[in-house]
Amino acid sequence: MQIYLPIAEVSVNIFTLLGLGGIVGLLSGLFGVGGGFLITPLLFFIGIPPSVAVATGANQVVASSVSGVLAQLKRKAVDIPMGLVLLVGGLLGSASGIYVFNLLTALGQIDLAVQLCYVVFLGLIGLLMLQEGIRTLQKQRKGGGARKKRVQHTWVHKLPFKFKFRASGLYISVIPPLLVGTLVGILAAIMGVGGGFIMVPAMIYLLNMPTKVVIGTSLFQILFVSAFTTLMHAITNQTVDVMLALLLIVGGVIGAQIGSRLGARLKAEQLRILLALLVIIVAGKLGLDLVLHPANLYSIASGGE
């Protein structure tokens, strides 16, 4: 059953879109990821223009983040002051990213730029996740976890404009969270992702935030930045396809329920390695698409004079 997507200007099978949303929802339930970094490249594969895929991908991130934020707020696992600092940086980054997105669109290079960003980021993150997962499995087989290291003071603790974040138990400068938020905002605008795959490791390893508040605080920032990004794309580029977003969200809700049940049966390390392999495969496919000759070549010729 074909459905015409007015903004994307393509006809796609409705069950394909529901299936894609379901796959990403399944992964979200299994691995605890928003899925924005996978839904966008998967939309490339079925012929959705990258500019529409990016804007609509950000839309789905908003939907998938709402329930997560509400659940974390109930558990009091959100550091709201830290989230607000990250949010300020995220809004600044998103506005900058939208400007760059519009500039690349005007130059006719947006499709190439988005795909290159995905190849680089997915490739690096997939390899790092795979390395970490294998290392953890090896430690477990050797029979011992590493002793918990004491938090060491780094250059982050020497910066000015310090503020006390009570929920995180931190007294640090607001500069590093602002920079992390800005980077995530830029990625959200250009790649249509929530940016959790960058922000969560930065919050743990750079800011030394306790794990119990990292996920909730990350989702808090992602929710508002993705909503702002979606709104800006809709106003400036008119590239948000509501019909496409709705079908993906419906499939995602169903897939997430199935994924959360399956996830309880697998070990965390096994899940991490599986997700890493999937990310590397997607990055490899995007990279090949950039260098291989397309099946159908088109040329534009001027009319006869």
Side-chain angles (χ1 to χ4, degrees):
M1 180 179 171
Q2 295 290 114
I3 184 169
Y4 181 73
L5 303 173
I7 304 298
E9 297 182 338
V10 293
S11 293
V12 184
N13 189 295
I14 191 170
F15 297 110
T16 301
L17 294 177
L18 288 170
L20 279 183
I23 289 169
V24 173
L26 181 72
L27 295 172
S28 178
L30 270 174
F31 305 119
V33 296
F37 69 101
L38 281 176
I39 191 66
T40 308
L42 289 176
L43 289 174
F44 297 166
F45 297 158
I46 63 169
I48 305 296
S51 56
V52 177
V54 165
T56 308
N59 198 21
Q60 199 202 22
V61 171
V62 176
S64 63
S65 299
V66 172
S67 60
V69 169
L70 292 174
Q72 296 291 337
L73 282 169
K74 284 181 183 177
R75 296 174 195 160
K76 296 183 178 178
V78 180
D79 188 333
I80 292 177
M82 177 65 81
L84 290 173
V85 173
L86 289 165
L87 178 57
V88 170
L91 295 177
L92 291 172
S94 178
S96 304
I98 293 288
Y99 174 78
V100 173
F101 189 95
N102 292 340
L103 184 64
L104 289 169
T105 302
L107 294 171
Q109 299 297 321
I110 188 61
D111 292 5
L112 175 63
V114 169
Q115 287 181 299
L116 278 174
C117 284
Y118 267 100
V119 170
V120 172
F121 277 98
L122 289 186
L124 285 174
I125 287 157
L127 289 171
L128 288 172
M129 287 175 63
L130 183 62
Q131 182 186 24
E132 183 68 22
I134 292 171
R135 189 182 299 162
T136 306
L137 278 178
Q138 287 175 341
K139 283 180 181 176
Q140 286 184 345
R141 284 176 184 172
K142 288 178 182 177
R147 288 184 180 178
K148 204 170 183 180
K149 293 182 180 178
R150 292 184 65 184
V151 175
Q152 295 181 347
H153 286 270
T154 61
W155 59 271
V156 171
H157 297 84
K158 298 176 183 177
L159 295 172
F161 308 112
K162 290 188 175 182
F163 187 84
K164 194 166 189 176
F165 299 98
R166 296 184 184 278
S168 299
L170 294 175
Y171 180 62
I172 59 170
S173 168
V174 297
I175 295 173
L178 273 175
L179 293 176
V180 170
T182 302
L183 175 62
V184 168
I186 292 170
L187 292 178
I190 296 176
M191 297 174 66
V193 296
F197 61 94
I198 294 289
M199 187 154 54
V200 170
M203 291 164 81
I204 293 171
Y205 299 113
L206 180 66
L207 306 180
N208 288 321
M209 286 181 65
T211 309
K212 65 178 181 179
V213 297
V214 163
I215 301 299
T217 309
S218 171
L219 284 172
F220 177 84
Q221 192 259 15
I222 287 168
L223 171 61
F224 291 103
V225 171
S226 297
F228 176 75
T229 301
T230 302
L231 181 64
M232 291 300 291
H233 274 301
I235 293 170
T236 61
N237 303 313
Q238 293 82 46
T239 50
V240 177
D241 197 309
V242 177
M243 184 61 69
L244 174 61
L246 285 173
L247 289 169
L248 292 173
I249 289 167
V250 169
V253 169
I254 297 168
Q257 298 301 314
I258 299 169
S260 60
R261 292 178 184 177
L262 290 175
R265 301 179 185 180
L266 293 171
K267 292 181 180 178
E269 292 74 26
Q270 293 172 336
L271 290 173
R272 194 184 301 172
I273 291 172
L274 287 172
L275 179 60
L277 290 172
L278 179 65
V279 168
I280 291 168
I281 289 167
V282 172
K285 175 68 169 67
L286 283 171
L288 283 174
D289 287 347
L290 287 174
V291 297
L292 293 179
H293 285 284
N296 298 311
L297 291 172
Y298 297 91
S299 62
I300 300 173
S302 58
E305 296 179 3

